[in-house]
Amino acid sequence: MLFTLGVNHKSAPVGIRERVVFSPDRMDEALTGLIRSTPVEEAAILSTCNRTEIYFRSEAHQPTDRVLHWLADFHRLKPGEIQPYIYRHSEAEAVKHLLRVACGLDSLVLGEPQILGQLKGSYQSAGAAGTLGRQLGRLFQHAFSVAKNVRTSTAIGSSPVSVAFAAVSLARQIWGDMKPLTALMIGAGETIELAARHLHSNQIGRIIVANRTVERAKTLASEFDAEVITLSEIPARLAEADILISSTASPLPILGKGAVERALKARKRRPMFMVDIAVPRDIEPEVGSLDNVFLYTVDDLEEVIQENLQSRREAARQAEEIIDSQVSTFMGWLRAQSAVSTICAFRDKAHTVQLEVLEKANQMVAAGKSPEEALSFLAHTLTNKLLHDPCHTMNEAAREGRLELVDAAHALFKLPSPTDKPHS
């Protein structure tokens, strides 16, 4: 059976989500540990600022309890600390959940495309760790296909709405004209790149990119004529920032209250607008208590985002219809897998009978029998051998009152109903 277990922006606040994040450098360890420590045969983990989800296959009884305990142990938590925020899905509901996630229908920003790339990263990580088997692998590929279908056949992605877009929209509402402003971008990932792109299109005066890896920051900065600094230079340059957007993978805050207080003093109390998109948070929450600081987290952006969603809602309804249909398609494939071994065994048996009878027919021809006689023998004997076991089993089933097997044979062999009369 297939399962999903996780937390997201709807079920848990950022303070909980940041405690169960899987860093990229520990993903392989997590996946192999999950397989080793629980009755899970296949697994993949998706971990972003808005969600941590474990997709897995298991034939054990109630495996989600074991997986929940593993999740808590891995992050040095007690299961009771995260239990109230956890959701669980199984079989068709688990399939539907993954398809909705892939299409951006479960995102903070309805229809946002970044989640699909993050899912593909999860798929690749699970493949590299050796934890992706036939069923889960097929489910992810199906999800990618459905997401592409939804993108091309609906208007779900027609409006430029994302966490990055919402952050810049809010900055524009607060500041108005952006030409005189300086933006400090901390990090160099996809969300920061999107935010920088939106700032650039809004004619921001200057962009500074701070990142642990300078080379990665230079690649991003070259697109927007931005200046590059290291993370250690932030305190000295912080006072220049009218707008600050941060999204790194740091496990600890990189910007504290003291540094911001000194920057505000140097700015002569001119306001600073900050958006902390990271989970765990990059900016200490106490910074938000300072006068002249407008600090927003990903949770705070939801109200801004709602204002930009109307054009996507009809598209989302169309997408839900597509997903419902595709859930049925995948579940049909999944149910068919249980018959694969039986079909293969049946074909192998028929092939063995075919070879035996063909060999005897060839011997008849070699012994001087006519081809017509050999063909008649081949047809008669092959038919009798193939039909003997099914006919015998149906006869025994009828004697024992197991008429459901006889009814199944009608469907299996596409036989006419006993009441049907042959046409004259």
Side-chain angles (χ1 to χ4, degrees), residues 294-402:
F294 300 91
L295 174 61
Y296 293 82
T297 67
V298 286
D299 289 354
D300 299 322
L301 294 177
E302 187 159 8
E303 183 179 342
V304 180
I305 288 163
Q306 292 304 319
E307 298 173 5
N308 299 281
L309 292 179
Q310 195 55 46
S311 64
R312 293 194 176 191
R313 289 191 175 117
E314 178 56 37
R317 285 191 286 272
Q318 298 169 11
E320 295 283 9
E321 292 175 5
I322 294 172
I323 286 171
D324 285 343
S325 170
Q326 291 300 324
V327 168
S328 297
T329 298
F330 184 82
M331 293 307 295
W333 176 84
L334 200 59
R335 286 189 293 270
Q337 301 315 294
S338 62
V340 168
S341 59
T342 301
I343 292 170
C344 289
F346 182 61
R347 293 182 69 89
D348 287 345
K349 181 177 179 180
H351 185 61
T352 300
V353 171
Q354 172 199 341
L355 293 177
E356 290 174 356
V357 178
L358 181 60
E359 175 64 24
K360 290 180 180 178
N362 284 330
Q363 290 173 358
M364 289 175 65
V365 173
K369 300 289 185 181
S370 68
E372 290 80 6
E373 193 173 354
L375 282 173
S376 178
F377 166 81
L378 177 66
H380 178 76
T381 306
L382 186 59
T383 301
N384 279 346
K385 282 184 173 289
L386 290 176
L387 294 181
H388 176 267
D389 287 343
C391 290
H392 177 73
T393 302
M394 279 190 284
N395 191 36
E396 289 294 314
R399 289 175 181 273
E400 296 167 5
R402 293 184 290 132

Side-chain angles (χ1 to χ4, degrees), residues 47-256:
S47 192
T48 74
C49 60
N50 282 329
R51 70 181 64 245
T52 290
E53 293 181 336
I54 303 171
Y55 308 100
F56 60 97
R57 181 179 71 83
S58 176
E59 303 307 321
H61 179 62
Q62 294 184 334
T64 54
D65 289 339
R66 296 282 298 278
V67 174
L68 172 61
H69 279 78
W70 172 85
L71 176 64
D73 288 344
F74 188 89
H75 292 290
R76 303 183 188 279
L77 300 169
K78 295 179 180 177
E81 293 181 78
I82 55 175
Q83 168 72 42
Y85 309 98
I86 291 286
Y87 48 82
R88 314 175 193 215
H89 303 297
S90 62
E91 288 295 85
E93 285 302 313
V95 172
K96 183 174 183 176
H97 180 78
L98 179 56
L99 266 55
R100 295 186 79 252
V101 169
C103 295
L105 299 186
D106 195 57
S107 296
L108 173 62
V109 181
L110 180 64
E112 59 92 3
Q114 289 89 351
I115 189 66
L116 184 58
Q118 292 163 333
L119 263 179
K120 289 180 178 178
S122 298
Y123 173 79
Q124 291 164 357
S125 296
T131 63
L132 201 65
R134 176 178 173 81
Q135 291 188 19
L136 203 57
R138 178 65 176 261
L139 175 57
F140 269 79
Q141 291 167 6
H142 190 64
F144 301 152
S145 175
V146 172
K148 182 178 179 180
N149 181 15
V150 165
R151 292 267 158 209
T152 55
S153 60
T154 75
I156 194 72
S158 61
S159 301
V161 181
S162 65
V163 170
F165 181 82
V168 175
S169 296
L170 190 55
R172 192 173 63 246
Q173 289 175 29
I174 291 173
W175 287 103
D177 183 13
M178 289 196 174
K179 290 179 183 177
L181 304 180
T182 294
L184 173 59
M185 318 296 287
I186 304 177
E190 189 175 3
T191 303
I192 288 293
E193 180 180 351
L194 268 175
R197 197 174 301 283
H198 289 308
L199 286 168
H200 190 67
S201 66
N202 280 276
Q203 299 181 310
I204 188 79
R206 188 162 62 113
I207 296 176
I208 302 170
V209 179
N211 194 50
R212 181 176 58 82
T213 307
V214 173
E215 287 306 313
R216 172 72 185 93
K218 284 181 178 177
T219 303
L220 173 60
S222 64
E223 289 191 53
F224 310 109
D225 299 321
E227 181 184 354
V228 175
I229 64 173
T230 63
L231 294 182
S232 61
E233 295 177 81
I234 290 176
R237 303 292 300 274
L238 188 57
E240 299 173 41
D242 303 297
I243 298 169
L244 184 148
I245 301 176
S246 187
S247 180
T248 76
S250 173
L252 298 171
I254 60 177
L255 195 59

